[in-house]
Amino acid sequence: MTDTNPTPENGDEVQPVDEGSEAIASDPESQVDSELPETIDDDELTVQDILDAAQADGLEEEVDAERVADASPEHEHLVDLKRVSAEYANYRKRTEANREMERERLTGDVIKVLLPVLDDIDRAEKHGDLEADTPFSAIAAKLRTSIAKLGLAPFGEKGEPFDHNLHEAIFQQPSPDVETETILDVVETGYTIGSTLLRAAKVVVAVPE
């Protein structure tokens, strides 16, 4: 008589084998198909979703790395250095501007003493007293040249438009020949030193009728 359940040599009892299990084991594809759901939900992640999420994570890591770098002591020192450099540059500009204004003011105080002499030279020139090759004309030319080197610049000419900021009108004369206020005659020449107004020009103004 043959034994249908032989006992192994190690003494373990052999369990009976189910024919259905043998069929599943012999067919792997049927086993995979049985584990997959019959339908795929539309809300489940796709491959593109996974790639987009990975890219977003990479960008966040880069931003975090930049924030860490910005918060580093070296970066803070660099920012402080740039700020101090900008403040020093602005300070130098203000100091130089103030120094130039102070120099113009001091020079103007000195030249104001000579303005009456320059007015006399202008009147002599209008009356024809500054003839060429005369000692008086040579002295007048030297004085004008020396003062010009200090930055003194005259202004105010006949025919120029009248400017309330630069000209002082001592007389107004209606004229049909002008459409705007125009300098008709210059009584005293105006002067500037650099950007500083030393004296306004005294003029006669022609106004439209």
Side-chain angles (χ1 to χ4, degrees):
M1 182 177 180
T2 305
D3 189 2
T4 58
N5 294 322
T7 301
E9 296 179 357
N10 56 6
D12 294 335
E13 183 179 356
V14 178
Q15 299 295 332
V17 179
D18 190 359
E19 295 179 356
S21 300
E22 293 180 355
I24 293 175
S26 61
D27 190 359
E29 293 182 357
S30 62
Q31 183 178 359
V32 174
D33 294 338
S34 63
E35 295 176 356
L36 292 176
E38 295 181 357
T39 59
I40 297 177
D41 191 357
D42 295 337
D43 296 335
E44 291 185 0
L45 293 176
T46 63
V47 175
Q48 186 63 37
D49 294 336
I50 296 174
L51 293 177
D52 294 341
Q55 184 177 4
D57 292 340
L59 292 177
E60 291 180 357
E61 291 178 357
E62 292 180 0
V63 172
D64 292 339
E66 292 178 357
R67 290 176 180 174
V68 172
D70 293 343
S72 62
E74 292 79 3
H75 180 77
E76 293 179 358
H77 293 331
L78 181 60
V79 172
D80 293 339
L81 180 60
K82 291 182 179 180
R83 177 178 56 80
V84 172
S85 299
E87 292 178 355
Y88 179 69
N90 294 331
Y91 169 76
R92 286 191 58 185
K93 290 180 181 179
R94 292 193 301 268
T95 303
E96 291 175 359
N98 294 335
R99 185 185 296 112
E100 182 65 19
M101 292 178 61
E102 184 65 16
R103 186 192 68 82
E104 293 176 356
R105 186 187 66 82
L106 295 176
T107 305
D109 291 341
V110 175
I111 293 180
K112 281 182 180 180
V113 181
L114 299 176
L115 291 184
V117 180
L118 296 177
D119 294 337
D120 291 338
I121 292 175
D122 292 339
R123 295 187 187 98
E125 187 176 21
K126 287 182 179 180
H127 289 84
D129 295 336
L130 292 183
E131 297 179 358
D133 298 332
T134 61
F136 184 54
S137 63
I139 294 174
K142 289 181 179 180
L143 180 61
R144 287 174 172 175
T145 302
S146 300
I147 294 180
K149 291 180 179 179
L150 297 176
L152 185 68
F155 69 90
E157 295 290 340
K158 180 180 179 180
E160 291 181 352
F162 176 75
D163 188 348
H164 294 274
N165 298 320
L166 300 176
H167 306 133
E168 179 183 352
I170 61 175
F171 184 77
Q172 290 184 350
Q173 179 177 341
S175 174
D177 299 330
V178 297
E179 297 180 355
T180 60
E181 295 180 344
T182 307
I183 296 177
L184 185 62
D185 190 17
V186 179
V187 179
E188 284 185 358
T189 303
Y191 293 98
T192 59
I193 295 181
S195 59
T196 303
L197 177 63
L198 189 60
R199 187 182 74 177
K202 295 181 179 181
V203 296
V204 177
V205 183
V207 297
E209 290 184 344

